[in-house]
Amino acid sequence: MQVLLPVLALSLLIVPAAGAQEAPSSAGLLRAEVLSEGLDHPWALVFMPDGRLLVTERSGQLRVINDGAVGAPITGTPDVYDQGQGGLLDVALAPDFAESGRIYLSFAENAADAGLQRGQGTAVMTARLVLEGDSGRLEEQQVIFRMNRFTTTNRHFGSRVVVGNDGNLFVTLGDRGEQDRAQDFGDLAGAVVRIAPDGAVPADNPQTEGWAPELWSKGHRNPQGATLRDDGQLFTVEHGARGGDEVNNPQPGANYGWPVITYGEDYSGLPIGVGTKKAGLEQPLFYWDPSISPSGLDFYAGDLLPDWQGDLLTGGLSGQVLVRLDVEGDEIVGEERLFAGQLGRVRDVKAGPDGAIYLITDEDNGRLIRVAPAED
């Protein structure tokens, strides 16, 4: 395990041409250019096959961005609980999206909409996207998953949706700010769950004795980034408390320890759990202390930055930074921080089909930003 490695590049800001920011990196001078503004706390972005982007806004809108132009809200999105950390969260495309238009949305759902009496919880909807220019509508909406216990807290919903190589879905769920739930194996909070495209439980789930059948892994605090490596391995990033943000490679039936073990401490300064290690509990691949509040995660596979191929990219919310994690095999062997303090709260990061890096910022005036070599 590699942790707390030295930062490889300076966060020095170089004065750029008008309308962009530039900073040095291990791959040379990079330019961050704002493509779109005026987004309402955007939470997730995904590229469609035609190169246009779908972007969620936490207040409940789903929009198309085409060459920087932001389309009108797509109709038919779910009603969301948009308080605290809740709202419309992730968006993912089905493998046959080009033919079916099928997408998946994760969101914070009100109890009344779920047929429950009180509280909120994370849910996943599937729907068919019908595009009409740079807007459109959702049809055939169906909630295929919701966590099995709703509570009234307004934080730690997770939630990312990743489509596995076999078409099944990984969904990350936070502990809802009720940390002991992450070690309750009948509770889906503080977990990665794996479900079929229709919400059923895949027959090859871990089915660990005493665990809810949807569970893939437990002991997670608030995973807000997830991505798939080409070989089908899932990687996640999650928020610690004060320190202890983690990168994990969740394995079936494994327990990642929160809140029994952590590299962070309580916001009061008091310790959490029994320390950093305990037999039977997994160690992170990497951790941050102090926290950067990582959000969004993607593997880089483009040609613009060939030395970075196979590395992980994540954003920092409190850290206000774009991070590259140097991956060799199954280990993280280095970290590089880019544009520190310059771009705002980075909520999601995607490697684009053109080889550039695209990110969105979680702000009232949220922005879509393209990062590429300055000479590109």
Side-chain angles (χ1 to χ4, degrees):
M1 180 184 67
Q2 302 289 325
V3 295
L4 294 176
L5 298 166
V7 175
L8 301 178
L10 300 175
S11 59
L12 172 69
L13 177 68
I14 296 176
V15 177
Q21 293 178 331
E22 293 180 350
S25 79
S26 61
L29 191 64
L30 296 181
R31 175 173 295 154
E33 181 180 5
V34 176
L35 301 182
S36 308
E37 295 184 292
L39 297 165
D40 183 10
H41 293 275
W43 214 91
L45 71 159
V46 66
F47 280 92
M48 293 187 286
D50 62 7
R52 291 183 293 175
L53 282 158
L54 278 177
V55 176
T56 62
E57 295 174 307
R58 205 174 64 211
S59 49
Q61 290 74 238
L62 176 66
R63 298 181 187 270
V64 174
I65 299 183
N66 184 4
D67 198 23
V70 180
I74 290 167
T75 61
T77 53
D79 292 333
V80 302
Y81 171 81
D82 61 345
Q83 299 181 37
Q85 296 174 3
L88 185 59
L89 304 174
D90 206 12
V91 56
L93 308 183
D96 65 348
F97 171 82
E99 295 77 35
S100 69
R102 182 68 49 188
I103 67 170
Y104 303 98
L105 295 168
S106 67
F107 63 103
E109 185 180 37
N110 284 295
D113 296 324
L116 303 173
Q117 291 187 344
R118 63 191 294 271
Q120 305 86 36
T122 307
V124 176
M125 171 183 283
T126 184
R128 185 168 67 92
L129 173 61
V130 179
L131 291 169
E132 298 169 344
D134 289 333
S135 186
R137 64 188 186 276
L138 296 182
E139 296 182 346
E140 302 170 16
Q141 300 96 324
Q142 181 184 4
V143 174
I144 58 171
F145 170 84
R146 53 178 55 98
M147 63 193 319
N148 58 352
R149 181 181 160 203
F150 280 34
T151 53
T152 58
T153 61
N154 66 0
R155 58 192 182 275
H156 296 192
F157 292 92
S159 162
R160 297 290 174 180
V161 178
V162 175
V163 182
N165 287 345
D166 59 3
N168 290 315
L169 311 181
F170 295 103
V171 183
T172 69
L173 303 171
D175 67 4
R176 298 290 285 107
E178 300 163 317
Q179 62 185 32
D180 291 341
R181 295 180 65 182
Q183 292 297 319
D184 180 345
F185 300 101
D187 192 329
L188 300 182
V192 176
V193 299
R194 180 172 177 259
I195 57 174
D198 62 358
V201 176
D204 58 347
N205 264 16
Q207 304 290 351
T208 305
E209 185 177 357
W211 287 35
E214 299 92 339
L215 289 174
W216 179 261
S217 60
K218 277 286 275 183
H220 302 283
R221 184 173 182 268
N222 192 24
Q224 291 198 349
T227 192
L228 205 69
R229 197 165 61 183
D230 287 344
D231 63 0
Q233 288 289 306
L234 179 71
F235 287 73
T236 61
V237 288
E238 64 184 83
H239 295 186
R242 195 163 78 175
D245 300 340
E246 295 183 0
V247 182
N248 287 301
N249 170 210
Q251 296 299 303
N255 185 344
Y256 289 82
W258 173 259
V260 179
I261 59 170
T262 177
Y263 284 88
E265 63 183 15
D266 191 74
Y267 296 108
S268 67
L270 294 174
I272 299 172
V274 301
T276 59
K277 298 178 181 179
K278 185 178 180 181
L281 302 180
E282 305 296 325
Q283 286 290 301
L285 293 179
F286 185 89
Y287 70 89
W288 288 270
D289 188 12
S291 293
I292 65 165
S293 307
S295 188
L297 192 66
D298 202 11
F299 278 99
Y300 184 79
D303 294 328
L304 286 183
L305 302 163
D307 290 343
W308 291 6
Q309 289 184 358
D311 290 346
L312 280 166
L313 303 169
T314 190
L317 294 165
S318 61
Q320 298 192 23
V321 67
L322 172 64
V323 174
R324 179 183 70 88
L325 296 172
D326 188 1
V327 180
E328 292 187 6
D330 291 333
E331 294 187 343
I332 295 172
V333 299
E335 178 194 16
E336 182 172 15
R337 300 190 185 192
L338 304 161
F339 297 99
Q342 303 300 326
L343 304 181
R345 290 166 49 85
V346 179
R347 171 61 75 180
D348 199 9
V349 179
K350 287 289 190 301
D354 60 353
I357 299 165
Y358 291 78
L359 55 90
I360 48 176
T361 62
D362 182 14
E363 301 163 329
D364 291 339
N365 179 28
R367 300 177 296 165
L368 170 66
I369 298 172
R370 180 181 187 267
V371 175
E375 66 273 12
D376 175 53

